Amino acid sequence: QVQLVESGGGLVQAGDSLRLSCAASLRTFSSSGMGWFRQAPGKEREFVAAISGSGRITTYADSVKGRFTISRDNAKNTVYLQMNSLIAEDTAVYYCAADRTSSSRLRVGIADYWGQGTQVTVSS
């Protein structure tokens, strides 16, 4: 019933930008916190960014703060991750996640739904 589908990943060079999109078939999208996570080879999945249902509250991992921006369009049931100044360390599979209760729970890895991921590869 619920599907989160990520898109926008690809192979880029360091310094480039990408915008990831997550299309959500979620009835409670506008009241759900949304977030992005990533998992690099040999590493655990890590938090990247989260946004509240209204879009007024955002939070970022220290590693991406100042470079990445999370946003959402509730009319389109879509959340975005604008990634600027990409570096090789950003290489990972990026996952979209939804939390029906609060965007704050996403910061510690709690989510109700997860997408299948989109690959981002940054060549240095």
Side-chain angles (χ1 to χ4, degrees):
Q1 188 174 54
V2 175
Q3 293 285 333
L4 305 180
V5 182
E6 303 95 335
S7 63
L11 174 62
V12 298
Q13 292 189 311
D16 286 352
S17 296
L18 280 175
R19 189 174 80 157
L20 305 183
S21 298
C22 173
S25 59
L26 181 62
R27 289 173 292 175
T28 59
F29 181 82
S30 63
S31 59
S32 296
M34 300 295 297
W36 289 95
F37 293 76
R38 67 187 183 186
Q39 187 168 23
K43 296 184 178 180
E44 295 290 324
R45 181 179 294 182
E46 66 175 343
F47 170 82
V48 175
I51 187 168
S52 64
S54 67
R56 290 193 292 269
I57 303 172
T58 59
T59 184
Y60 299 90
D62 290 341
S63 59
V64 306
K65 194 170 186 177
R67 298 189 298 119
F68 291 10
T69 303
I70 188 170
S71 62
R72 65 192 298 159
D73 186 341
N74 286 348
K76 297 182 179 295
N77 276 28
T78 302
V79 62
Y80 305 95
L81 185 68
Q82 178 66 45
M83 305 185 294
N84 298 329
S85 302
L86 285 162
I87 58 177
E89 289 75 16
D90 295 320
T91 295
V93 176
Y94 283 71
Y95 298 91
C96 178
D99 178 15
R100 292 174 295 174
T101 300
S102 171
S103 62
S104 63
R105 300 202 304 173
L106 294 167
R107 182 65 182 85
V108 294
I110 300 175
D112 293 308
Y113 308 104
W114 295 87
Q116 293 300 304
T118 185
Q119 177 71 50
V120 172
T121 302
V122 184
S123 174
S124 62

